[in-house]
Amino acid sequence: MAVSGPCRPNPDELLRRIQAEERRERRGRLKVFLGYASHVGKSLRMFDEGRRRKQRGEDVVVCLVQTSVTPEIRQILSSLEIIPTTRERHAGRVYEAIDMASILRRRPQICLIDELAYDNPPGSRNARRWQDVNELLDRGISVVTALNLQHIAEQQDAVERITGKRAMHSVPQAFLHDADDIELVEAPASAAASQDPEQLAELRELALLLAADVVDRQLQGYLSAHGIAMQWGVQERILVCLTPQSDARLMLASGQRNARRFHGALLAVVVGRPPRERAAATKLEANLELARQAGAEVHRLPGRDFVGSVLEFARSQRVTQLFLGHSLRPRRWRLTRDPIDRLLDRAEEFDVRLFPHQEEK
């Protein structure tokens, strides 16, 4: 990871940092046990964590337990205080909800909450259970919870492609971004034996990448709060620099393969105003359309300084790889260094790949 030293913030930025730090100090801490498949034991790990914290002298209560529990969980629950849930029937459906009023009166240090993805009854103070958790955190109460990968909204398409199944309930991935601690629960041998090993491997990889992204954001938030700029993240972020001369198809195909392989992000960028020449403008727009078809985030950067604009954008986006096109035509005169040479000199923190293209004469 490449970092730069602290810089002098302007008053607005300084105020933002102070307010963010004050909010973090007031807010409870969130720990999530993340399972990448069903029946991997995430609830057991969560309640066992609560038991160990109580043994250390912390004030722990159980706010919600799944309908059916194993004997191991039942034994752990016998040693913990349980705040009863409320049950309501609406349109033939029974809802079980956290008793928020009782919890806020009781004000424990830590709440244990299972089955995070479910909805609350219509008319509740919060529509979703994860919103209850956010309210508890904002009130200074810490929460330990458990969640399956299949219940994370942004991961559901990928999980469905792997398993052919889609969960009814979901939690936004942004909820996990606020977690102070995320712990991946590995599938035990009994669960692995009853499920497709290839599916489990793919689901585990998705969960590992998600956990890494949470850690990446935690680090970014810490460095930002302390005035330190972070250039690299834990996931691949590939930036393709497009011009009218670029062999965009080759660069984008390579970038797309790498982004898919590492479950990273693909970005494409052009610098400056559209070219005046009609042919060049048409070619550039065609390249941008290829980028969109490849699933890239497309950005247009103002200014005439190609090198400075690309590097500033790449650092702000925590890019890890730069894809650039260059000419194969030999130059007779080299009184000044071309932009690619200058960019290579200044891009020490990035991996740079050059893709040759034959300029038209």
Side-chain angles (χ1 to χ4, degrees):
M1 178 187 305
V3 298
S4 61
C7 58
R8 185 188 300 275
N10 61 42
D12 290 339
E13 175 64 16
L14 184 58
L15 178 61
R16 185 193 66 78
R17 291 180 189 173
I18 292 172
Q19 291 173 337
E21 187 64 29
E22 289 176 347
R23 179 176 180 270
R24 278 192 294 270
E25 290 178 357
R26 293 194 305 266
R27 187 174 165 89
R29 295 182 62 82
L30 172 63
K31 179 168 184 176
V32 178
F33 286 93
L34 178 64
Y36 55 87
S38 301
H39 311 300
V40 297
K42 64 187 186 306
S43 298
L44 175 62
R45 293 280 296 278
M46 176 189 66
F47 289 121
D48 188 54
E49 169 105 353
R51 176 174 59 183
R52 288 185 287 106
R53 291 192 182 201
K54 181 181 178 181
Q55 290 172 348
R56 294 198 299 263
E58 297 180 66
D59 183 13
V60 180
V61 299
V62 177
C63 300
L64 195 136
V65 183
Q66 58 185 296
T67 305
S68 61
V69 297
T70 64
E72 293 88 349
I73 292 178
R74 191 174 295 110
Q75 182 180 6
I76 293 173
L77 291 175
S78 66
S79 65
L80 295 171
E81 178 184 349
I82 300 176
I83 295 183
T85 57
T86 62
R87 290 177 179 267
E88 297 182 26
R89 180 180 293 274
H90 292 269
R93 177 181 170 187
V94 176
Y95 292 84
E96 185 173 17
I98 298 169
D99 189 345
M100 291 290 289
S102 296
I103 295 169
L104 293 175
R105 285 196 301 268
R106 170 72 171 71
R107 292 200 64 80
Q109 287 179 285
I110 301 165
C111 290
L112 308 181
I113 298 175
D114 207 359
E115 296 192 325
L116 182 66
Y118 282 69
D119 298 341
N120 285 330
S124 299
R125 59 195 291 159
N126 297 307
R128 309 290 295 278
R129 194 169 292 167
W130 61 267
Q131 293 173 325
D132 288 342
V133 171
N134 271 337
E135 182 177 350
L136 293 173
L137 295 170
D138 287 337
R139 300 291 189 98
I141 299 173
S142 296
V143 174
V144 181
T145 188
L147 183 65
N148 263 340
L149 182 69
Q150 64 179 339
H151 288 122
I152 299 172
E154 289 80 355
Q155 301 294 325
Q156 286 189 311
D157 287 344
V159 172
E160 186 176 16
R161 284 196 299 270
I162 295 170
T163 65
K165 300 177 182 178
R166 191 179 188 92
M168 292 178 57
H169 307 284
S170 65
V171 173
Q173 190 164 304
F175 174 85
L176 291 181
H177 293 162
D178 288 332
D180 299 283
D181 190 9
I182 183 167
E183 188 168 323
L184 185 66
V185 181
E186 294 284 356
S190 57
S194 62
Q195 300 187 50
D196 186 322
E198 292 186 7
Q199 286 188 3
L200 281 179
E202 290 185 70
L203 293 171
R204 182 177 185 274
E205 184 179 7
L206 285 177
L208 284 169
L209 289 166
L210 176 61
D213 182 59
V214 172
V215 173
D216 187 21
R217 288 173 181 271
Q218 290 172 346
L219 179 58
Q220 184 182 10
Y222 173 84
L223 295 177
S224 176
H226 291 79
I228 304 172
M230 180 174 74
Q231 274 84 54
W232 286 12
V234 298
Q235 290 183 277
E236 290 298 321
R237 294 179 62 82
I238 299 165
L239 177 60
V240 178
C241 301
L242 298 175
T243 68
Q245 296 80 29
S246 302
D247 189 348
R249 192 176 300 277
L250 180 62
M251 288 197 296
L252 290 166
S254 179
Q256 187 182 51
R257 284 195 302 272
N258 280 275
R260 286 178 175 174
R261 178 182 179 187
F262 297 106
H263 298 276
L266 179 64
L267 301 89
V269 68
V270 295
V271 179
R273 297 179 179 178
R276 294 181 179 179
E277 296 82 3
R278 184 174 181 179
T282 301
K283 179 66 181 300
L284 182 59
E285 287 303 318
N287 286 346
L288 290 173
E289 181 57 30
L290 286 174
R292 296 185 187 97
Q293 292 175 8
E297 299 176 19
V298 176
H299 299 266
R300 292 179 180 267
L301 306 181
R304 298 180 178 179
D305 181 7
F306 174 83
V307 174
S309 297
V310 167
L311 291 177
E312 181 181 0
F313 177 79
R315 287 164 181 150
S316 70
Q317 296 294 316
R318 295 174 289 121
V319 164
T320 57
Q321 297 186 48
L322 286 174
F323 285 16
L324 303 165
H326 74 97
S327 174
L328 291 173
R329 180 191 297 180
R331 289 191 173 184
R332 296 183 178 180
W333 305 101
R334 292 190 55 101
L335 299 178
T336 60
R337 307 191 75 209
D338 65 26
I340 298 300
D341 292 332
R342 290 187 284 113
L343 193 149
L344 288 172
D345 287 342
R346 296 170 56 186
E348 295 180 354
E349 68 267 44
F350 305 109
D351 291 334
V352 180
R353 291 189 59 186
L354 297 179
F355 293 78
H357 58 258
Q358 185 68 50
E359 293 183 349
E360 296 179 2
K361 298 182 180 180

